Amino acid sequence: MQSAWQHRLSEQQKNRPNDNRSAWQVDRSRIIHAAAFRRLQAKTQIMSIGVNDFYRTRLTHSLEVAQIGSGVLRHLRIQNPDFEHFPSTSLIETLCLAHDIGHPPFGHGGETALNYLMREYGGFEGNAQTLRIVSKLEPYSNGFGMNLTRRTLLGFIKYPAIIDTLWFNIPKHDTNRRFIKAKDWLPAKGVYRCDLDVFNWVLDPFSETDRRLLQTNRPFDSHKRKTQFKSLDCAIMELADDIAYAVHDLEDAIATSTLSLTDWQNYALPQLKAVPSKWLSNNLNTLTERLFSFDESLRKDAIGELVNLFIINSHLVIQHNDFESPLLKYSVEINAEYAAILQVLKTFVFERLIREPKMQQIEFSGQNLLIDVFEALASDPLRLLPYTTQELYMQATSKAEKMRVLADYLAGMTDEYARRTHKRLFSSE
């Protein structure tokens, strides 16, 4: 008998004679063949597209996350042979492949811009947009997006609360100032209120106790709150994403000379030496030599060793004893020693690469480009929007719904398409 977790929002009957795929393999196929997935090849990961010839896009990053995620799952299964609630490999690969499809052009600069523009209409956030794409926007079905299984949709919900409920102090922007301050408009992380129907449907098999506990949140900064829990499947995907971010993006930065040996020695090494780790004591010097070697194979070997190190030191944990469902009761963590190493690498990449002024200038440019395009389209949407988007705009019955149509349209753009649209709207050529 089909589990509730294999149900779909629309139980379509497809003409697929002799199709022997599992529900999770079907989901993975729908992701791979989706336009939203293909567009990741032209969206920035960390290195801005066009700045260097060698860089990871969000597509190549997602492929690496899928490979790491399946490795983490394989390791957990070996560790816990009697645990019956692990996801299938196909399900984890689906989550990892598609975890970034909701991110707009220009990385976090684009996300910040759209969140500011949608501040009165439910906000904008990349993970919320991912759920919206797979459950509503992607034109595989009529109004149900890719029509994925319930358990797959659960795995995409990294922050299980409605965004509106997380803000307690919405920032103010002085309209006399030309530019917004990005730090004020970092999004609250959750699900859009306009997608509450999907959210409720996904959580329906859980008990009332589990649903309430899953949505627990606490203050995060002076503006908003943040959720505390996520499903086991989502936790595996998020760990794989963290490993890829810390290790493979570090490799990108070293290979392009964006981060130098001096940067490593001045900022990463002191932090790594402060970690009480036998592994670091035995391997830090040789790790440094290989990472910054002119022999690329040595750097590849070091990167592979780090990925393996984090995978084999992950383990199943109970995230909260009060959860009734094993999909929520259990999570995955890395042993403290290796979690500390991973955190140092993540911080190093963030502070010395992402927050590097030239990178921030590129992000600032994209942020303001999206604000210009959004405001131009909003000024005369039935003149400037494509016909298909005009139709969606006219079908919307409220101002919030109409603004969401605009946000969906801009979020789906690639970096280059957004630049071309801006040029058509504002260039005098």
Side-chain angles (χ1 to χ4, degrees):
M1 185 176 177
Q2 190 185 50
S3 162
W5 293 107
Q6 291 180 282
H7 290 172
R8 302 179 186 277
L9 281 160
S10 174
E11 295 300 328
Q12 299 168 306
Q13 297 300 317
K14 295 290 184 180
N15 183 24
R16 303 289 189 270
N18 303 316
D19 189 348
N20 59 9
R21 295 174 297 171
S22 70
W24 324 119
Q25 289 170 328
V26 170
D27 284 357
R28 182 179 59 187
S29 298
R30 291 181 183 181
I31 292 294
I32 290 173
H33 293 288
F37 179 67
R38 292 195 299 275
R39 279 195 289 268
L40 293 176
Q41 66 188 302
K43 289 192 178 186
T44 299
Q45 171 58 12
I46 286 185
M47 310 295 291
S48 181
I49 293 174
V51 173
N52 293 96
D53 291 331
F54 175 84
Y55 50 79
R56 282 176 164 85
T57 64
R58 286 199 180 270
L59 179 62
T60 57
H61 164 75
S62 297
L63 294 172
E64 288 169 338
V65 174
Q67 184 269 330
I68 294 170
S70 62
V72 171
L73 178 60
R74 186 166 55 248
H75 171 71
L76 293 175
R77 282 178 175 156
I78 292 171
Q79 276 190 326
N80 305 273
D82 297 326
F83 187 76
E84 299 178 350
H85 305 285
F86 284 123
S88 72
T89 299
S90 296
L91 174 50
I92 282 300
E93 288 178 348
T94 298
L95 298 178
C96 293
L97 287 170
H99 76 283
D100 267 353
I101 64 173
H103 281 260
F106 310 118
H108 291 294
E111 187 179 42
T112 298
L114 288 175
N115 185 50
Y116 163 71
L117 292 161
M118 294 295 292
R119 63 195 181 278
E120 297 178 6
Y121 310 109
F124 181 91
E125 197 268 326
N127 298 286
Q129 193 69 16
T130 293
L131 180 66
R132 182 166 174 78
I133 288 170
V134 299
S135 64
K136 290 189 175 179
L137 300 183
E138 186 67 21
Y140 177 83
S141 64
N142 186 18
F144 300 101
M146 299 181 201
N147 199 29
L148 305 178
T149 59
R150 181 186 261 119
R151 181 161 177 176
T152 297
L153 294 182
L154 175 67
F156 283 122
I157 301 175
K158 289 177 68 173
Y159 307 100
I162 301 303
I163 287 176
D164 294 357
T165 67
L166 299 174
W167 284 99
F168 56 83
N169 181 22
I170 297 179
K172 303 293 183 184
H173 173 62
D174 182 357
T175 54
N176 292 320
R177 287 174 49 207
R178 171 71 174 86
F179 304 111
I180 65 171
K181 187 174 181 180
K183 187 178 179 180
D184 288 346
W185 297 102
L186 297 176
K189 296 179 180 295
V191 175
Y192 302 138
R193 182 165 295 280
C194 58
D195 297 326
L196 180 61
D197 55 339
V198 174
F199 182 63
N200 287 337
W201 179 83
V202 171
L203 300 190
D204 187 61
F206 293 129
S207 68
E208 177 61 32
T209 299
D210 277 5
R211 289 197 296 270
R212 186 170 56 250
L213 182 57
L214 180 62
Q215 297 177 68
T216 302
N217 53 72
R218 59 189 175 195
F220 177 68
D221 60 21
S222 58
H223 297 295
K224 50 191 174 291
R225 304 174 69 85
K226 188 174 182 180
T227 58
Q228 297 176 256
F229 305 114
K230 55 182 62 70
S231 69
L232 170 62
D233 303 354
C234 186
I236 295 172
M237 175 267 284
E238 188 171 43
L239 174 58
D241 189 23
D242 282 350
I243 294 171
Y245 167 81
V247 180
H248 288 305
D249 292 339
L250 173 65
E251 179 188 7
D252 250 14
I254 294 172
T256 57
S257 299
T258 307
L259 290 178
S260 66
L261 176 59
T262 300
D263 292 322
W264 177 263
Q265 291 170 333
N266 288 342
Y267 299 101
L269 279 186
Q271 298 298 318
L272 289 171
K273 288 177 179 178
V275 175
S277 167
K278 184 177 179 181
W279 186 88
L280 281 177
S281 298
N282 295 332
N283 294 279
L284 187 53
N285 290 337
T286 58
L287 176 68
T288 298
E289 291 171 4
R290 285 180 292 155
L291 283 176
F292 291 91
S293 171
F294 289 109
D295 184 342
E296 188 174 342
S297 66
L298 292 178
R299 183 169 62 247
K300 284 288 185 185
D301 180 63
I303 292 297
E305 183 175 341
L306 284 172
V307 171
N308 178 71
L309 184 75
F310 297 130
I311 289 176
I312 65 173
N313 284 286
S314 62
H315 59 280
L316 197 65
V317 296
I318 294 176
Q319 70 170 342
H320 201 295
N321 274 312
D322 289 346
F323 279 119
E324 299 170 11
S325 170
L327 297 186
L328 302 180
K329 186 171 187 175
Y330 294 91
S331 188
V332 60
E333 289 182 357
I334 298 182
N335 297 338
E337 171 187 346
Y338 301 97
I341 297 171
L342 181 62
Q343 186 58 50
V344 170
L345 295 181
K346 286 174 61 179
T347 301
F348 178 59
V349 169
F350 178 77
E351 292 183 351
R352 304 308 303 175
L353 179 60
I354 296 175
R355 298 298 299 174
E356 195 274 330
K358 288 182 181 177
M359 291 293 180
Q360 285 300 300
Q361 289 171 10
I362 294 170
E363 189 173 289
F364 178 84
S365 171
Q367 169 186 306
N368 290 293
L369 182 153
L370 275 191
I371 291 175
D372 285 346
V373 172
F374 187 101
E375 291 180 342
L377 297 178
S379 71
D380 202 348
L382 299 185
R383 175 190 179 196
L384 301 176
L385 286 171
Y387 287 126
T388 53
T389 311
Q390 284 186 32
E391 185 175 345
L392 293 172
Y393 188 89
M394 288 187 290
Q395 290 171 358
T397 58
S398 67
K399 182 67 177 296
E401 289 178 2
K402 291 179 184 297
M403 293 301 100
R404 184 61 62 189
V405 169
L406 287 177
D408 289 342
Y409 175 59
L410 265 71
M413 293 181 175
T414 63
D415 296 24
E416 181 55 32
Y417 186 81
R419 291 195 184 280
R420 290 202 306 269
T421 301
H422 188 272
K423 186 175 182 179
R424 283 198 303 272
L425 289 168
F426 295 102
S427 175
S428 60
E429 295 179 11

